[in-house]
């Protein structure tokens, strides 16, 4: 019996992926899809055997799902979240929670006042290797947290897919910022960031990559290198199609009594064919025997379990806001060319 009904707002890649992961669980079903691109909404609705709509309000007028999965572009998270909360639906929203502090706070307040759960899709918390780093840190295995370094470099094709609508900091950098805040839950005192300019800048006037330094109030540091400046040939293979490419991804944590390291540039599997070397994603959303698995399945299952058992989610709206604020401080630092105190981000 599929007791949890789900509506999906945004029928792009992540919307489809989240819907698949949910529908493959024995207790969940997708009952409706909405997207401003009705052709895309129709295509996804046919996949799940449900109706489609052009907007959230129309969908919620005809359906009352248990939960709404919001996978619209990051600048369009507020309106569907407010509508879902007003309708009494629990909300899962893709990262980043929003693009401004004020909109994120509105979303948090609306869900709180409606008595519905709000979870932000910071998927790395549900990837076992990242979670193992967390458990080692909280158990004191490396002593006092001193610093963390994260690298997340994607292909230039990712920047082209987004057509310059957003910086790599807000789109992918927020992943690792959230991880650092999770690993070291101490307020961030200040942020300093410097951009680098290359082909992405030439095409879209969006910086190619950036280096970011976080200073925590206890003196610990976080350093993040983020961008989408890998060449087109990074993941150019056409077959096997199931071998989706990823990027150059790492996380190192240094403590007073030990170090932790994660390298996802090769995710355990290598291949080489006529197109060159192949480094598939085996962690985030690989397909196993026709079903979505990996971190995205863990994430979706966690959210739905929270609804079934009435538990707070691992990634709350407040968590999403904290990560967003650090990214906003980093982007302000780039514009102003100075260290930005977190106290100025409101």
């Amino acid at each position: 019996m599929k007791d949890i009904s789900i509506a999906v707002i945004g029928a792009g890649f992540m919307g489809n992926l989240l819907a698949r992961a949910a529908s493959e669980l024995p207790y969940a079903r997708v009952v409706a899809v909405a997207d401003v691109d009705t052709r895309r909404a129709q295509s996804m609705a046919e996949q799940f055997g449900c109706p489609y709509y052009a907007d959230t309000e129309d969908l919620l007028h005809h359906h009352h799902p248990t939960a709404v999965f919001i996978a619209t572009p990051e600048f369009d998270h507020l309106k569907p979240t407010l509508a879902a909360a007003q309708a009494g639906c629990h909300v899962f929203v893709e990262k980043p929670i929003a693009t401004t502090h004020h909109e994120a706070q509105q979303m948090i307040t609306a869900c709180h006042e409606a008595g519905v759960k709000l979870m932000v899709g910071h998927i790395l918390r549900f990837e076992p290797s990242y979670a193992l780093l967390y458990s080692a840190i909280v158990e004191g295995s490396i002593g006092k947290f001193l610093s963390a370094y994260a690298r997340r470099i994607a292909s230039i094709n990712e920047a082209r897919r987004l057509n310059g609508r957003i910086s790599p900091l807000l789109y992918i950098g927020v992943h690792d910022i959230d991880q650092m805040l999770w690993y070291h839950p101490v307020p961030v005192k200040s942020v300093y960031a410097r951009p680098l300019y290359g082909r992405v800048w030439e095409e879209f006037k969006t910086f190619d990559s950036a280096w970011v330094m976080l200073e925590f109030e206890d003196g610990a540091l976080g350093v993040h290198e983020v961008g989408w400046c890998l060449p087109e040939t990074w993941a150019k293979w056409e077959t096997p199609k199931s071998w989706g490419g990823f990027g150059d991804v790492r996380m190192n944590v240094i403590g007073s009594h030990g170090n932790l390291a994660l390298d996802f540039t090769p995710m355990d599997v290598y291949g080489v064919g006529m197109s060159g070397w192949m480094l598939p994603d085996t962690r985030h959303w690989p397909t196993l025997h026709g079903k979505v698995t990996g971190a995205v399945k863990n994430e979706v299952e966690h959210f739905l379990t929270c609804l079934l058992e009435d538990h707070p989610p691992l990634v709350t709206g407040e968590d999403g806001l904290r990560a967003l604020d650090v990214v906003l401080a980093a982007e302000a630092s780039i514009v102003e060319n100075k260290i930005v105190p977190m106290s100025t981000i409101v």
Side-chain angles (χ1 to χ4, degrees), residues 9 34 53-63 79-80 82-83:
I9 314 300
Y53 302 87
D55 60 66
T56 306
E57 288 78 5
D58 194 18
L59 183 154
L60 293 173
H61 177 73
H62 291 89
H63 302 272
K79 186 177 178 181
L82 297 184

Side-chain angles (χ1 to χ4, degrees), residues 305-326:
T305 300
C306 288
L307 305 189
L308 288 171
E309 300 179 357
D310 194 22
H311 293 159
L314 179 62
V315 192
T316 64
E318 288 80 4
D319 292 324
L321 178 57
R322 280 189 285 270
L324 172 65
D325 281 349
V326 171

Side-chain angles (χ1 to χ4, degrees), residues 99-160:
T99 56
T100 71
H101 177 97
H102 179 62
E103 288 194 353
Q105 190 60 66
Q106 282 184 276
M107 293 163 63
I108 293 167
T109 300
C111 290
H112 176 73
E113 291 180 348
V116 299
K117 299 184 192 302
L118 171 61
M119 178 170 162
V120 184
H122 283 291
I123 191 173
L124 298 186
R125 296 200 190 193
F126 301 91
E127 200 296 312
S129 296
Y130 282 98
L132 284 172
L133 297 191
Y134 174 79
S135 65
I137 294 166
V138 298
E139 289 174 25
S141 302
I142 61 170
K144 179 183 178 182
F145 180 100
L146 298 179
S147 68
Y149 163 77
R151 185 179 196 188
R152 184 167 301 273
I153 307 294
S155 164
I156 191 172
N157 293 329
E158 187 74 352
R160 288 172 177 159

Side-chain angles (χ1 to χ4, degrees), residues 2-339:
K2 298 204 169 191
D3 298 321
I4 297 182
S5 55
I6 295 165
V8 181
I9 314 300
F13 175 78
M14 284 307 301
N16 272 271
L17 193 62
L18 293 166
R20 278 190 61 193
S23 66
E24 289 167 1
L25 295 170
Y27 48 81
R29 56 192 166 90
V30 177
V31 297
V33 175
D35 196 298
V36 292
D37 184 338
T38 53
R39 288 177 299 177
R40 190 163 65 173
Q42 181 180 13
S43 176
M44 181 173 167
E46 289 173 354
Q47 179 184 349
F48 295 98
C50 66
Y52 66 93
Y53 302 87
D55 60 66
T56 306
E57 288 78 5
D58 194 18
L59 183 154
L60 293 173
H61 177 73
H62 291 89
H63 302 272
H64 185 72
T66 310
V68 171
F69 282 63
I70 298 172
T72 51
E74 55 289 329
F75 57 80
D76 190 26
H77 287 175
L78 175 63
K79 186 177 178 181
T81 298
L82 297 184
Q86 186 176 12
C89 306
H90 301 288
V91 176
F92 177 101
V93 62
E94 259 303 315
K95 61 78 210 162
I97 183 173
T99 56
T100 71
H101 177 97
H102 179 62
E103 288 194 353
Q105 190 60 66
Q106 282 184 276
M107 293 163 63
I108 293 167
T109 300
C111 290
H112 176 73
E113 291 180 348
V116 299
K117 299 184 192 302
L118 171 61
M119 178 170 162
V120 184
H122 283 291
I123 191 173
L124 298 186
R125 296 200 190 193
F126 301 91
E127 200 296 312
S129 296
Y130 282 98
L132 284 172
L133 297 191
Y134 174 79
S135 65
I137 294 166
V138 298
E139 289 174 25
S141 302
I142 61 170
K144 179 183 178 182
F145 180 100
L146 298 179
S147 68
Y149 163 77
R151 185 179 196 188
R152 184 167 301 273
I153 307 294
S155 164
I156 191 172
N157 293 329
E158 187 74 352
R160 288 172 177 159
R161 181 181 69 83
L162 295 166
N163 200 32
R165 81 179 190 212
I166 189 173
S167 78
L169 257 172
L170 190 55
Y171 194 72
I172 55 176
V174 72
H175 279 301
D176 300 276
I177 296 299
D178 175 68
Q179 287 301 110
M180 292 182 187
L181 301 182
W182 189 40
Y183 292 160
H184 193 54
V186 171
V188 176
K189 179 181 178 181
S190 62
V191 178
Y192 180 63
R194 296 303 302 139
L196 297 169
Y197 302 103
R199 290 195 296 155
V200 177
W201 175 259
E202 292 171 2
E203 291 185 34
F204 302 110
K205 298 307 176 186
T206 303
F207 56 85
D208 292 52
S209 62
W211 285 76
V212 182
M213 178 178 286
L214 289 61
E215 182 179 0
F216 293 87
E217 288 190 352
D218 63 354
L221 297 177
V223 177
H224 187 22
E225 178 188 7
V226 61
W228 31 44
C229 46
L230 293 174
E232 295 88 341
T233 53
W234 180 265
K236 70 174 183 178
W237 66 85
E238 295 181 1
T239 61
K241 291 183 179 180
S242 59
W243 281 32
F246 219 72
D248 187 356
V249 178
R250 310 175 193 196
M251 173 70 79
N252 290 16
V253 181
I254 298 176
S256 59
H257 291 77
N259 297 355
L260 304 170
L262 176 157
D263 185 351
F264 273 5
T265 302
M267 297 185 188
D268 304 328
V269 176
Y270 295 84
V272 64
M274 297 302 291
S275 300
W277 286 99
M278 300 177 288
L279 305 173
D281 169 32
T282 64
R283 306 282 185 154
H284 300 88
W285 42 74
T287 299
L288 178 65
H289 308 311
K291 293 188 175 183
V292 175
T293 184
V296 74
K297 178 187 176 184
N298 298 338
E299 175 184 57
V300 168
E301 191 168 20
H302 169 80
F303 174 64
L304 298 183
T305 300
C306 288
L307 305 189
L308 288 171
E309 300 179 357
D310 194 22
H311 293 159
L314 179 62
V315 192
T316 64
E318 288 80 4
D319 292 324
L321 178 57
R322 280 189 285 270
L324 172 65
D325 281 349
V326 171
V327 171
L328 294 177
E331 295 204 322
S333 176
I334 288 173
V335 172
E336 300 168 16
N337 192 23
K338 67 178 184 180
I339 296 173

